[in-house]
Amino acid sequence: MPFTFYMTVNHTDGTVAQGACSDADVTRSLATAARRGYQVEVTPQGGANIARQIPGKGRHSVVYAPFRNAGSLTATVREDLRLIAIRPAAELQPETGRINAGYVNSIPPAASSLLIFRCLVAVNGTAVTLSMSARLALLATDHRTPPWSYEPTAGEINDLCAATSRKAA
């Protein structure tokens, strides 16, 4: 699995660890955070922040920042992402450069290239799925007013993680 996020862990003792991680790593971490009741914040850039208070020690946080910022999600980009998300088998048509996102819905080559370049979709062979950064950015922009981020409920995080797991299978 390719690395798609920078991870920064701020430990309670003040030490900081950094590294790269994949969409699957972020999905597991978010699911765990939701299950354990940690504070989760998603950002319109396609990242996430997880924080928890450890009694007697202080605050522990993990920040996930996508390698490529999701950028501004226009209405057209949002609709293209929605079409890909609801299509169980969206696919890239290499001969035309289009993403087939339904029986009558296809995303034009220029828009498809933009989604791929911005890392909003993941392409595996010809299969196309939304990247975790796109899902996080969509969740954040659906529920916040600029420039603030959004703190989703545990149910929303679980739905997000389940959708990612179903698409990966």
Side-chain angles (χ1 to χ4, degrees):
M1 247 192 203
F3 295 127
T4 52
F5 285 86
Y6 293 112
M7 175 182 70
T8 304
V9 180
N10 297 297
H11 297 281
T12 57
D13 64 2
T15 60
V16 177
Q18 295 181 319
C21 60
S22 68
D23 282 10
D25 296 325
V26 175
T27 300
R28 278 191 300 276
S29 185
L30 288 171
T32 300
R35 189 174 58 253
R36 293 183 179 171
Y38 299 161
Q39 178 187 1
V40 176
E41 178 183 63
V42 294
T43 67
Q45 295 81 23
N49 304 318
I50 300 171
R52 67 183 172 132
Q53 282 298 126
I54 299 175
K57 292 188 176 182
R59 186 171 193 263
H60 180 269
S61 67
V62 180
V63 177
Y64 293 105
F67 284 165
R68 181 152 299 157
N69 188 326
S72 175
L73 299 181
T74 65
T76 303
V77 169
R78 293 174 58 74
E79 180 61 16
D80 289 345
L81 293 174
R82 187 190 67 77
L83 288 171
I84 294 167
I86 62 173
R87 175 81 171 149
E91 62 181 14
L92 178 65
Q93 299 171 330
E95 60 279 353
T96 63
R98 297 175 93 73
I99 294 175
N100 182 4
Y103 298 107
V104 295
N105 299 311
S106 72
I107 300 166
S112 297
S113 295
L114 178 72
L115 295 176
I116 294 167
F117 175 75
R118 288 174 59 186
C119 298
L120 296 174
V121 296
V123 180
N124 185 5
T126 59
V128 178
T129 57
L130 290 190
S131 68
M132 178 53 81
S133 64
R135 291 180 187 283
L136 292 170
L138 285 169
L139 182 60
T141 56
D142 283 348
H143 294 89
R144 61 98 179 132
T145 55
W148 298 281
S149 57
Y150 172 66
E151 292 183 17
T153 65
E156 288 172 322
I157 294 169
N158 288 330
D159 290 347
L160 177 96
C161 293
T164 303
S165 298
R166 278 194 307 271
K167 286 290 201 169

